[in-house]
Amino acid sequence: MGRVINKVAIITGAASGLGRADAIKLSDEGAKLVLTDINVQEGKLVANECKNEALFFEQDVRQENSWPDLIKTTVSEFGKLDVLVNNAGIAPIGNIESTTTDQWHDILKVNLDSVFFGCRAAIPEMSKSGGGSIINMSSTTALVGLSPYLAYSAAKGGIRSMTKSIAMYCLEQKNNIRCNSIHPGSIFTPMVDNALQALADIKLMEQDDPEATRKAMGIGETSDVANLVLFLASDESKHINGAELVIDNGATAGDVSG
Ligand SMILES: NC(=O)c1ccc[n+]([C@@H]2O[C@H](COP(=O)([O-])OP(=O)(O)OC[C@H]3O[C@@H](n4cnc5c(N)ncnc54)[C@H](O)[C@@H]3O)[C@@H](O)[C@H]2O)c1
């Protein structure tokens, strides 16, 4: 208990899945939270579920001007900012031939522009707090090719390299801010349920028994990722910076024989 006591954290996309699990975990461990999402109803419910102080801030992460407002609200409510979890994302399917220009731009706006806006807005305030931890939610699609996820993979690959660039910048600035990316494989959330259904609909995957499909794919749990977010948010990870942390039970590490 108390691994992030009195730290102030922002979590985007906190109304569902991984963001929700991160919120509950960080709150259980003493953090004060500002949770954001476009889904106001569910977002407020998650804030109410948190044991420690937590407020909900309605935000569309694509909107550049929402970011300064969010940072301002966080500091006026809690006095500082220590942790930013850039978690909000969408994963519509589309390959190199089927993806339209509008789809490409929208997927990059939600998944990649938002992380740029968030990091840029948070760094000055974190510097004032004497440092902090930025945690960017990427994916294993940043590391291996998946044909139905062209724009999503491009965005997640962008997050991976942007994260390293930010980590180097912060080292140069000596501002004590760390920046790392997390790369989950498949984790059991509404996003993955929708993805499995979409892949089944276009006959890229059998989905007669969704539960059996999940088991066969070795899908992880939201707490697996939340435990890593907690570690990166805490001072226990103070020497981890510019790293890409894969959390996929070996799925991208190689092949097993037999
Ligand atoms: N679940 C997985 O297997 C998996 C794997 C790798 C990476 N990820 C990443 O983890 C993050 C969370 O995914 P999840 O599985 O929990 O998905 P989810 O769909 O359960 O939750 C995503 C949340 O983001 C919010 N959101 C979407 N667009 C937004 C916008 N424009 N502004 C603000 N909020 C917005 C949604 O309302 C939702 O609450 C995403 O970045 C996703 O790409 C998930």
Side-chain angles (χ1 to χ4, degrees):
M1 293 293 279
R3 288 167 66 189
V4 283
I5 193 130
N6 291 331
K7 285 194 187 291
V8 176
I10 292 172
I11 304 172
T12 68
S16 170
L18 298 182
R20 177 181 174 278
D22 297 346
I24 305 290
K25 179 70 74 180
L26 291 187
S27 183
D28 283 354
E29 294 289 340
K32 297 173 188 170
L33 301 177
V34 179
L35 308 178
T36 92
D37 209 289
I38 42 173
N39 186 337
V40 177
Q41 199 181 344
E42 292 298 319
K44 284 184 176 168
L45 286 177
V46 176
N48 288 338
E49 252 184 279
C50 288
K51 279 193 190 148
N52 209 6
E53 287 169 86
L55 66 88
F56 177 75
F57 180 94
E58 182 178 359
Q59 183 193 30
D60 181 337
V61 291
R62 289 172 292 193
Q63 300 301 325
E64 186 171 2
N65 57 12
S66 70
W67 284 97
D69 290 348
L70 169 63
I71 304 293
K72 218 168 139 188
T73 302
T74 304
V75 175
S76 73
E77 287 291 328
F78 296 129
K80 59 173 184 161
L81 174 63
D82 303 299
V83 177
L84 170 64
V85 186
N86 278 311
N87 167 78
I90 53 169
I93 56 174
N95 62 34
I96 182 60
E97 293 202 81
S98 67
T99 301
T100 66
T101 306
D102 283 349
Q103 287 166 340
W104 168 266
H105 286 306
D106 196 46
I107 293 167
L108 263 76
K109 265 189 198 157
V110 179
N111 291 313
L112 184 60
D113 292 12
S114 64
V115 178
F116 160 58
F117 296 149
C119 294
R120 190 180 57 180
I123 285 173
E125 205 49 60
M126 282 185 173
S127 296
K128 286 188 210 158
S129 315
S133 174
I134 299 174
I135 301 162
N136 292 332
M137 204 55 70
S138 180
S139 160
T140 49
T141 59
L143 311 172
V144 295
L146 267 188
S147 78
Y149 290 100
L150 175 86
Y152 179 77
S153 305
K156 295 301 186 182
I159 291 176
R160 172 180 175 269
S161 20
M162 186 180 8
T163 296
K164 293 178 195 299
S165 175
I166 292 167
M168 293 307 106
Y169 173 79
C170 291
L171 282 172
E172 282 164 15
Q173 297 297 310
K174 300 186 174 44
N175 60 16
N176 201 27
I177 298 171
R178 300 179 290 114
C179 188
N180 294 290
S181 57
I182 295 184
H183 300 257
S186 290
I187 309 290
F188 185 25
T189 68
M191 177 183 281
V192 161
D193 255 5
N194 294 338
L196 292 177
Q197 190 54 57
L199 292 171
D201 289 348
I202 59 166
K203 313 249 179 290
L204 274 179
M205 181 181 274
E206 298 287 332
Q207 165 107 314
D208 293 340
D209 177 353
E211 194 53 40
T213 309
R214 286 194 209 108
K215 278 199 181 129
M217 289 178 69
I219 291 183
E221 295 170 9
T222 55
S223 59
D224 296 327
V225 177
N227 285 328
L228 181 54
V229 168
L230 170 63
F231 173 63
L232 288 175
S234 78
D235 296 336
E236 295 160 24
S237 57
K238 68 181 170 52
H239 206 53
I240 299 180
N241 194 7
E244 48 188 86
L245 295 138
V246 177
I247 178 156
D248 68 351
N249 195 23
T252 53
D255 290 323
V256 284
S257 53

